């Protein structure tokens, strides 16, 4: 959500949208069980994952309260940009559109060609977009460029900067013990959960189908496929 322009420069409206979305329905119904509902930057199975951070629950009544507090009791309209016409993105966007409408929030879905989409993102001309991140083995790069000034114009598509989060993440970079670093990542996750520059939707499950002729493949569960060591047996 672009926090630098209406309507999502208003924290209450960001919170309202998030409250309309049922992550479990997205993961288990729309994606047919091929994902887990998301709660933060850090998926289950990764070093910074913290199960104490709850999966946000859908609460349309509370979403309407947030709208009223923001002076928008009748709801609002925004444009949700999609990068291309992929069926998964379209299905997710349509589900969000339907869920948000229950609170009077109207999402207009717009599909852009790749280059035009990237240009709008980099110039922060969008209101909201669907985006996916492949993840990295170390949690630092799963969060740092998304909530600090260094990511503006790059991965920080929300144009969101939290000074407190930056201090915590800079501190975590000085620590070698993951249990200590995890405390910083958990606090950052709670800051972001309240500010809602991002609405975390789902973590895709990792499926890779490999021929019996393939040799040397190493599975790294971060959404990427690495082929440097791979070869085909006769």
């Amino acid at each position: 959500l672009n926090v630098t322009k209406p309507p999502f420069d208003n924290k209450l409206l960001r919170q309202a949208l998030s409250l309309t979305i049922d992550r479990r329905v997205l993961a288990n119904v729309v994606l047919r069980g091929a994902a887990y509902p998301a709660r933060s930057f850090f998926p289950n199975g990764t070093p910074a994952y913290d199960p104490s951070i709850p999966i946000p629950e859908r609460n349309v009544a509370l979403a309407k309260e947030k709208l009223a507090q923001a002076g928008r009791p009748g709801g609002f309209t925004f444009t949700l940009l999609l990068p291309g016409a992929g069926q998964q993105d379209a299905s997710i966007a349509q589900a969000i559109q339907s869920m948000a409408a229950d609170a009077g929030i109207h999402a207009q879905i717009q599909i852009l060609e790749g280059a035009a989409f990237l240009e709008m993102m980099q110039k922060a001309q969008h209101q909201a977009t669907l985006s996916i991140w492949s993840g990295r083995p170390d949690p630092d790069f799963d969060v740092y460029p998304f909530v600090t000034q260094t990511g503006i114009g790059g991965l920080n598509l929300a144009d969101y900067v939290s000074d407190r989060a930056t201090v915590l993440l800079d501190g975590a970079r000085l620590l070698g013990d993951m249990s200590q670093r995890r405390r910083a990542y958990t606090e950052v996750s709670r800051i972001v959960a309240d500010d809602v520059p991002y609405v975390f939707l789902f973590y895709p499950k990792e499926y890779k189908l490999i021929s019996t002729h393939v040799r040397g493949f190493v599975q790294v569960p971060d959404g990427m496929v690495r082929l440097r060591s791979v070869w085909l047996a006769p």
Side-chain angles (χ1 to χ4, degrees):
L1 309 179
N2 185 346
V3 304
T4 66
K5 63 185 299 184
F8 296 121
D9 56 347
N10 188 318
K11 176 178 170 177
L12 289 167
L13 298 184
R14 300 196 300 268
Q15 291 174 334
L17 174 62
S18 180
L19 284 162
T20 68
I21 298 172
D22 192 323
R23 279 83 169 164
R24 291 179 176 84
V25 167
L26 293 180
N28 298 319
V29 179
V30 179
L31 296 176
R32 303 182 183 182
Y36 303 100
R39 64 185 80 211
S40 74
F41 289 100
F42 309 110
N44 35 316
T46 60
Y49 172 70
D50 186 344
S52 73
I53 298 172
I55 296 169
E57 298 292 341
R58 186 174 198 243
N59 189 331
V60 174
L62 183 55
K64 290 181 177 180
E65 289 182 20
K66 297 286 186 180
L67 291 172
Q69 292 170 22
R72 306 288 287 273
F76 64 94
T77 299
F78 73 97
T79 299
L80 178 60
L81 290 184
L82 304 187
Q87 182 56 51
Q88 176 173 294
D89 281 354
S91 296
I92 292 293
Q94 289 163 7
I96 291 171
Q97 183 182 54
S98 176
M99 292 174 184
D102 289 341
I105 301 172
H106 302 288
Q108 299 175 335
I109 300 170
Q110 181 180 359
I111 299 171
L112 289 181
E113 172 271 331
F117 175 84
L118 288 175
E119 183 177 3
M120 283 198 73
M121 296 303 101
Q122 290 169 349
K123 294 181 179 180
Q125 295 174 336
H126 63 295
Q127 292 179 316
T129 183
L130 284 182
S131 183
I132 193 166
W133 177 242
S134 63
R136 293 295 182 270
D138 189 284
D140 175 81
F141 210 65
D142 286 337
V143 60
Y144 198 97
F146 297 95
V147 300
T148 63
Q149 187 67 40
T150 61
I152 299 294
L155 294 175
N156 190 345
L157 300 182
D159 267 28
Y160 166 79
V161 176
S162 165
D163 293 338
R164 175 60 179 160
T166 300
V167 169
L168 288 164
L169 294 173
D170 283 340
R173 286 183 163 186
L174 302 176
L175 300 172
D177 185 281
M178 184 55 70
S179 64
Q180 293 179 322
R181 293 174 65 193
R182 191 181 296 112
R183 287 197 289 271
Y185 298 138
T186 293
E187 186 171 345
V188 170
S189 294
R190 295 190 186 281
I191 292 169
V192 172
D194 182 62
D195 284 344
V196 200
Y198 301 97
V199 179
F200 301 104
L201 300 176
F202 60 90
Y203 309 128
K205 294 181 180 178
E206 274 289 296
Y207 296 103
K208 292 188 174 77
L209 304 181
I210 303 170
S211 166
T212 56
H213 296 288
V214 171
R215 299 289 186 272
F217 178 77
V218 177
Q219 160 72 334
V220 180
D222 63 357
M224 308 290 281
V225 178
R226 296 164 175 81
L227 301 176
R228 178 172 296 185
S229 63
V230 171
W231 55 284
L232 288 175

